[in-house]
Amino acid sequence: MTTTLLRTAEELSARARGGRRAVVMTMGALHEGHATLIRTARRAAGPDGEVVVTVFVNPLQFGQGEDLDRYPRTLDADLKISEQAGADVVLAPAVEEVYPGGEPQVRISAGPMGERLEGASRPGHFDGMLTVVAKLLHLTRPDLALFGQKDAQQLALIRRMVRDLNFGMEIVGVPTVREDDGLALSSRNRYLSASERRTALALSRALFAGRDRHAAQEALRARALAVPAPPARAEALSALGESRAAADAHAVAQAVPGAAAAVRQAARLVLDEAARQIPPLTLDYLALVDPADFTEIDDDFTGEAVLAVAARVGTTRLIDNLPLTFGAAS
């Protein structure tokens, strides 16, 4: 398969179109995470469909002091990766193509969700992101668009925009791709020195620690609920030499189904240790939130949640997250 490079939406609309069109939006500097998105899009579009990869470094997403000029531009390499992953088209428009009248006077507002976590750290970022996503959805007119779950808040806001404003296409989230050491793939990883990378691994280790604490508590809760009556529960577990576990299980079953505070604490311990390393990790936020609105969950919360972290190591800012389910039926 040969991937076609296009520069304008007019060129894209002139192509004969059959089957479903799947779009993967990127800012270039493609890596294996992007390749996974493209391969997933290829499968979703099918042999008769079309996969379009957009490469556009959106100036509206970069705040004052952020790395717009520093952001890598690697179009030749991006074309090769896109082709190998199964893309039919790479659309790489100029800024003038996307914003023909200069910076748009009318923009998409991310609303209250866009002011939390990443939005609080990067004011205006999500308004700029949603504006360009809306523009590119209109310019490419896909049946479905795929986005990585590593940018969980971005994905949630895009889904909300498409639903609230009746865009009429499917938004697909694709799981985070990690390097062998656990670090989530990101175009910004290339900025890390060897020592900074060692410190940066604390982000994924913190999430995994929170996940492991969550799994242990959910297993304890499930075991507690498996025995119908509290006395019988304690007796059954005590018979196995687990009287303390029986008491803990009873407390968990009667009190909190998910113990969100314990999950936060387990992750925080890893991050606090990384803050004492050389070079240190500077935490921006650690949050355990409801993906519907990205507000912090309480200890009585049940359902899907996201454990999210953002931090700086040196001059590089990194984000990561994991999905967790609290109070799953036993």
Side-chain angles (χ1 to χ4, degrees):
M1 173 184 291
T2 300
T3 299
T4 301
L5 174 63
L6 301 179
R7 294 290 189 174
T8 69
E10 183 178 1
E11 291 175 314
L12 180 61
S13 65
R15 286 175 58 89
R17 180 170 176 174
R20 299 212 300 169
R21 175 178 287 173
V23 167
V24 175
M25 296 184 189
T26 82
M27 292 207 300
L30 302 192
H31 49 63
E32 180 56 28
H34 297 108
T36 298
L37 284 167
I38 297 167
R39 287 192 292 267
T40 305
R42 179 77 273 163
R43 291 191 295 270
D48 298 326
E50 182 181 52
V51 175
V52 177
V53 176
T54 66
V55 175
F56 180 67
V57 182
N58 178 33
L60 300 189
Q61 289 176 233
F62 291 80
Q64 186 175 2
E66 293 188 332
D67 52 359
L68 173 60
D69 294 333
R70 185 185 175 203
Y71 198 87
R73 274 80 166 175
T74 57
L75 184 57
D76 289 342
D78 296 343
L79 276 168
K80 184 176 181 180
I81 291 173
S82 297
E83 186 167 277
Q84 292 172 343
D88 298 288
V89 173
V90 168
L91 176 64
V95 172
E96 294 76 19
E97 169 73 8
V98 178
Y99 303 122
E103 286 199 11
Q105 297 300 301
V106 176
R107 307 188 186 196
I108 301 290
S109 170
M113 195 194 328
E115 298 172 358
R116 299 172 185 136
L117 300 187
E118 283 299 291
S121 298
R122 306 175 66 189
H125 167 74
F126 284 127
D127 290 357
M129 178 277 294
L130 289 179
T131 298
V132 79
V133 168
K135 293 271 289 186
L136 291 172
L137 287 174
H138 289 314
L139 293 173
T140 58
R141 302 190 182 282
D143 298 287
L144 66 159
L146 297 90
F147 297 88
Q149 291 178 355
K150 184 178 80 73
D151 297 294
Q153 194 172 2
Q154 169 180 285
L155 175 59
L157 282 162
I158 291 169
R159 282 178 164 152
R160 188 69 187 237
M161 176 184 73
V162 166
R163 182 173 66 249
D164 286 356
L165 301 183
N166 302 102
F167 272 60
M169 71 273 299
E170 180 184 0
I171 301 299
V172 178
V174 178
T176 300
V177 178
R178 299 185 179 279
E179 301 193 41
D180 291 341
D181 57 10
L183 189 67
L185 280 171
S186 169
S187 302
R188 291 186 168 93
N189 290 354
R190 68 186 68 194
Y191 300 144
L192 297 168
S193 68
S195 59
E196 288 172 343
R197 186 184 176 92
R198 286 193 293 272
T199 297
L201 292 177
L203 273 77
S204 55
R205 287 203 308 269
L207 296 179
F208 299 155
R211 177 193 62 190
D212 292 346
R213 181 63 178 268
H214 166 265
Q217 294 209 312
E218 288 293 317
L220 185 62
R221 172 181 173 272
R223 183 168 60 177
L225 294 175
V227 182
R233 178 186 302 114
E235 291 172 7
L237 293 176
S238 295
L240 298 174
E242 301 182 26
S243 58
R244 175 60 185 273
D248 289 347
H250 174 64
V252 170
Q254 296 300 317
V256 295
V263 172
R264 292 187 185 95
Q265 181 184 33
R268 172 73 70 168
L269 288 173
V270 176
L271 297 169
D272 287 347
E273 180 182 355
R276 297 187 290 270
Q277 294 180 0
I278 300 175
L281 179 145
T282 302
L283 184 64
D284 191 342
Y285 62 76
L286 171 69
L288 185 54
V289 298
D290 183 342
D293 57 11
F294 271 71
T295 57
E296 293 281 352
I297 66 170
D298 297 323
D299 274 335
D300 60 355
F301 178 87
T302 58
E304 298 295 321
V306 173
L307 180 62
V309 62
R312 288 188 182 274
V313 181
T315 60
T316 304
R317 187 176 185 275
L318 300 170
I319 64 172
D320 201 352
N321 72 84
L322 279 178
L324 299 174
T325 303
F326 284 82
S330 56

